[in-house]
């Protein structure tokens, strides 16, 4: 679902000033005492910005505004996906350097929760804005499904929900292919997807009717898991309910993977770049017009706002929810979240409390109406405050692209969140990704990719 891995190069591409290796700036924050947050600055590891140019602008401006209104200086680490998934964050925390607060994607963060570094939300929930809490309680309850394997119900505060995975299409291609964007989009099921995609490819202006992608960081986490989860419920998630086993070799995953690979290998509806294509590359192909439709990430809205804003406003690029499967839902979700860390040894209680107070203020800012209104525009996810939803439909880009209505429809009845298992990066990407990519290449069957992924995970990871 997420375009986490395909965004890995984004930070390098946009050249954000001040991004450095975490260990390179922590000594200044800690006054050299080896414990994050121990110095005069309020240490914040920030990830949301890396999703798109508009996300970067929102986070930088929000940090600047917050800093000007508080007397606790914010020492920022503008981090990338690789910093989290590649072990840099974990290694720095293990070495005694930690922030007071971080933001991230929940499925990447079990590695910080499992050792006891993250403070459960119940321990500070009463310090959050009461009006905000009334309007976000539904999201808190949904997010609890992400932490089933831990003792506490909730460890991170959800700011936005990425619900997966929406269909994204060129409305003008539908018209030129003799299709109706109102009646033929989104596809009603897999067979209807094939019908629409074949018509688009034959009669439309694009080269490919429905592009899939096989990049190791994207192949398992968007259309595939959406189809599997909507069809199989928890059998279609990466792990079962109590995290005691992996689900890749269930019927739900095998069916979804076979259907996904067939789009390229059997029906020829995707380009030869499919095995290595990333979600972001496919989004760019939609903009250029070579691709007419795909199923991707809600975060692609941020990319479109940066690169094709007029096409959103004009309704040329449109979103729609995935079909509802046998399990009675339209897929799965994960959270954009923020978390407080526990005080490390060697830091004075009064110093940490001052920084934690500032962190609570920051969380309340992220849950405020003003910030929540910017969540779909810039962070490209569903804001957790329901009381801002209606007003956002008047936004030209959000309304004409059907982005907000797609998110609202998709989340209705959804209950399965990505697990925050400590080894989720291996389960979701590092082990399964290469095998599913080989299936897209046609080197192994979809069923073999599912079976081998499950077997390797069971052999290599303690569940």
């Amino acid at each position: 679902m997420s375009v986490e891995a395909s965004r890995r190069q984004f930070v390098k591409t946009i050249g954000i000033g001040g991004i450095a290796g975490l260990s390179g700036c922590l000594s200044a924050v800690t006054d050299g005492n080896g414990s994050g947050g121990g110095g005069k600055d309020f240490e914040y590891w920030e990830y949301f910005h890396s999703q798109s140019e508009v996300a970067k602008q929102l986070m930088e401006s929000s940090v600047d505004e917050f800093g000007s209104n508080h007397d606790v200086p914010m020492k920022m680490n503008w981090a990338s996906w690789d910093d989290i998934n590649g072990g840099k964050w974990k290694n720095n925390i293990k070495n005694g350097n930690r922030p007071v607060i971080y933001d991230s994607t929940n499925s990447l963060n079990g590695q910080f929760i499992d050792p006891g570094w993250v403070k459960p939300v119940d321990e500070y929930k009463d310090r959050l804005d009461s009006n905000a809490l009334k309007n976000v309680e539904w999201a808190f309850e949904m997010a609890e499904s992400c932490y089933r394997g831990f003792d506490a119900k909730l460890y991170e505060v959800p700011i936005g929900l990425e619900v997966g995975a929406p269909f994204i299409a060129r409305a003008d291609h539908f018209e030129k292919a003799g299709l109706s964007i109102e009646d033929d989009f989104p596809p009603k099921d897999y067979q209807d997807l094939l019908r629409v995609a074949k018509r688009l490819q034959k009669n439309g202006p694009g080269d490919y009717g429905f592009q899939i992608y096989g990049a190791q960081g994207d192949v398992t986490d968007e259309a595939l898991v959406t189809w599997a989860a909507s069809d199989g419920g928890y059998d279609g998630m990466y792990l079962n309910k109590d995290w005691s086993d992996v689900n890749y070799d269930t019927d739900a995953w095998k069916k979804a993977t076979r259907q996904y690979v067939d789009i390229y290998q059997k029906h020829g509806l995707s380009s030869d770049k499919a095995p290595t294509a990333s979600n972001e590359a496919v989004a760019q192909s939609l903009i250029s017009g070579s691709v007419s439709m795909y199923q991707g990430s809600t975060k692609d809205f941020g990319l479109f706002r940066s690169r094709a804003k007029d096409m959103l406003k004009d309704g040329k690029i449109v979103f729609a929810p995935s079909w509802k499967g046998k399990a009675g839902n339209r897929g799965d979700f994960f959270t954009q979240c923020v978390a407080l860390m526990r005080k490390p040894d060697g830091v004075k209680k009064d110093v940490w409390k001052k920084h934690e107070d500032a962190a609570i203020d920051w969380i309340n800012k992220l849950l405020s109406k003003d910030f929540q209104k910017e969540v779909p525009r810039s962070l490209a996810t569903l804001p957790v405050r329901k009381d801002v939803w209606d007003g956002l439909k008047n936004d030209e880009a959000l309304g004409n692209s059907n982005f907000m209505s797609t998110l609202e429809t998709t989340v209705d009845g959804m209950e399965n969140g990505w697990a925050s298992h400590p080894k989720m990066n291996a389960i979701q990407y590092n082990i399964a990704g290469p095998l599913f990519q080989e299936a897209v290449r046609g080197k192994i069957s979809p069923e073999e990719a599912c079976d081998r992924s499950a077997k390797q995970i069971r052999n290599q990871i303690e569940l």
Side-chain angles (χ1 to χ4, degrees):
M1 165 189 300
S2 156
V3 286
E4 307 300 338
S6 66
R7 305 294 194 208
R8 295 177 196 180
Q9 299 302 315
F10 179 78
V11 174
K12 299 176 184 176
T13 302
I14 62 176
I16 296 174
I19 296 179
L22 293 177
S23 59
C25 61
L26 280 168
S27 60
V29 178
T30 64
D31 291 338
N33 69 358
S35 297
K40 63 180 181 179
D41 295 323
F42 161 33
E43 176 82 358
Y44 178 17
W45 294 357
E46 206 292 306
Y47 168 71
F48 290 168
H49 77 280
S50 66
Q51 298 302 305
S52 67
E53 180 65 30
V54 291
K56 168 184 175 284
Q57 293 169 356
L58 172 65
M59 295 311 299
E60 287 187 339
S61 62
S62 298
V63 166
D64 287 345
E65 179 188 14
F66 184 83
S68 66
N69 294 326
H70 289 74
D71 62 358
V72 178
M74 296 177 75
K75 185 71 174 182
M76 301 300 299
N77 273 296
W78 302 101
S80 69
W81 189 88
D82 274 341
D83 290 330
I84 309 174
N85 191 59
K88 186 179 287 186
W89 277 23
K90 185 174 182 179
N91 288 337
N92 275 281
I93 297 171
K94 286 175 69 174
N95 290 332
N97 301 318
R98 73 176 66 179
V100 179
I101 192 171
Y102 68 79
D103 63 49
S104 181
T105 294
N106 78 271
S107 60
L108 296 177
N109 304 332
Q111 58 183 316
F112 316 130
I113 296 170
D114 189 48
W117 297 334
V118 178
K119 179 176 284 193
V121 174
D122 277 349
E123 294 187 22
Y124 59 89
K125 187 176 179 181
D126 60 349
R127 299 167 66 188
L128 300 179
D129 181 83
S130 59
N131 187 48
L133 286 176
K134 292 177 184 178
N135 289 284
V136 303
E137 193 63 40
W138 71 278
F140 279 36
E141 292 176 359
M142 282 188 67
E144 289 177 2
S145 71
C146 302
Y147 308 99
R148 289 179 182 271
F150 298 120
D151 293 334
K153 290 183 177 180
L154 192 67
Y155 286 84
E156 298 162 316
V157 176
I159 302 303
L161 299 186
E162 176 159 352
V163 293
F167 281 98
I168 309 170
R170 287 285 298 266
D172 52 335
H173 286 208
F174 271 68
E175 181 180 354
K176 291 176 182 178
L179 292 163
S180 167
I181 198 66
E182 290 82 14
D183 299 331
D184 297 306
F185 184 73
K188 299 174 181 62
D189 52 32
Y190 180 73
Q191 291 304 318
D192 196 42
L193 167 60
L194 295 179
R195 176 189 70 84
V196 173
K198 289 176 180 179
R199 182 77 172 268
L200 285 168
Q201 190 157 309
K202 181 179 180 180
N203 299 331
D207 298 320
Y208 300 100
F210 186 82
Q211 183 68 47
I212 68 167
Y213 38 90
Q216 292 181 16
D218 289 339
V219 63
T220 55
D221 71 355
E222 287 167 12
L224 261 182
V225 68
T226 295
W227 294 357
S230 65
D231 194 48
Y234 251 101
D235 283 348
M237 300 297 288
Y238 303 106
L239 298 173
N240 61 4
K241 277 189 177 183
D242 63 3
W243 298 3
S244 61
D245 199 9
V246 65
N247 282 335
Y248 281 127
D249 54 354
T250 62
D251 290 342
W253 268 98
K254 288 182 177 180
K255 175 185 174 183
T257 308
R258 166 58 67 183
Q259 291 178 333
Y260 189 76
V261 171
D262 278 355
I263 287 172
Y264 169 57
Q265 289 288 346
K266 181 178 179 180
H267 300 290
L269 295 169
S270 296
S271 77
D272 289 342
K273 296 180 181 179
T276 57
S278 68
N279 174 279
E280 185 178 39
V282 175
Q284 185 59 49
S285 296
L286 189 86
I287 295 172
S288 68
S290 63
V291 167
S292 297
M293 179 175 58
Y294 74 104
Q295 196 166 358
S297 167
T298 70
K299 293 198 185 80
D300 290 348
F301 184 85
L303 184 148
F304 295 138
R305 270 200 69 204
S306 298
R307 303 180 186 178
K309 190 172 183 178
D310 289 343
M311 296 177 76
L312 291 173
K313 290 183 176 181
D314 295 343
K316 281 187 177 180
I317 293 179
V318 290
F319 289 74
S322 188
W323 56 71
K324 185 179 289 188
K326 292 180 181 178
N329 62 67
R330 299 180 189 274
D332 55 319
F333 73 92
F334 64 85
T335 72
Q336 288 173 311
C337 55
V338 61
L340 280 180
M341 302 208 79
R342 293 193 182 278
K343 184 185 80 66
D345 294 336
V347 178
K348 295 179 179 179
K349 289 183 179 180
D350 60 336
V351 172
W352 191 263
K353 182 181 183 304
K354 184 177 182 182
H355 292 177
E356 190 176 90
D357 288 345
I360 294 292
D361 287 345
W362 173 256
I363 295 174
N364 281 327
K365 177 179 177 62
L366 298 183
L367 294 176
S368 69
K369 277 190 174 182
D370 286 345
F371 188 89
Q372 284 286 299
K373 289 175 184 178
E374 296 301 319
V375 167
R377 296 188 181 108
S378 299
L379 301 186
T381 52
L382 181 67
V384 293
R385 279 193 75 134
K386 278 192 173 182
D387 55 341
V388 305
W389 288 7
D390 286 343
L392 290 170
K393 294 172 184 175
N394 297 323
D395 180 285
E396 199 171 15
L398 293 173
N400 292 343
S401 67
N402 297 327
F403 184 65
M404 272 303 298
S405 60
T406 293
L407 299 184
E408 291 183 34
T409 299
T410 303
V411 81
D412 185 33
M414 189 171 281
E415 58 183 357
N416 302 327
W418 286 8
S420 295
H421 190 281
K423 299 292 185 181
M424 199 61 190
N425 57 348
I427 294 168
Q428 191 174 6
Y429 299 116
N430 301 344
I431 295 176
L435 289 167
F436 278 85
Q437 186 180 54
E438 287 299 284
V440 176
R441 291 182 189 277
K443 300 296 185 182
I444 60 177
S445 72
E447 294 79 10
E448 184 179 355
C450 292
D451 286 335
R452 286 175 59 183
S453 294
K455 183 177 181 180
Q456 287 189 30
I457 289 167
R458 291 182 185 120
N459 288 340
Q460 298 176 34
I461 293 174
E462 184 178 349
L463 295 170

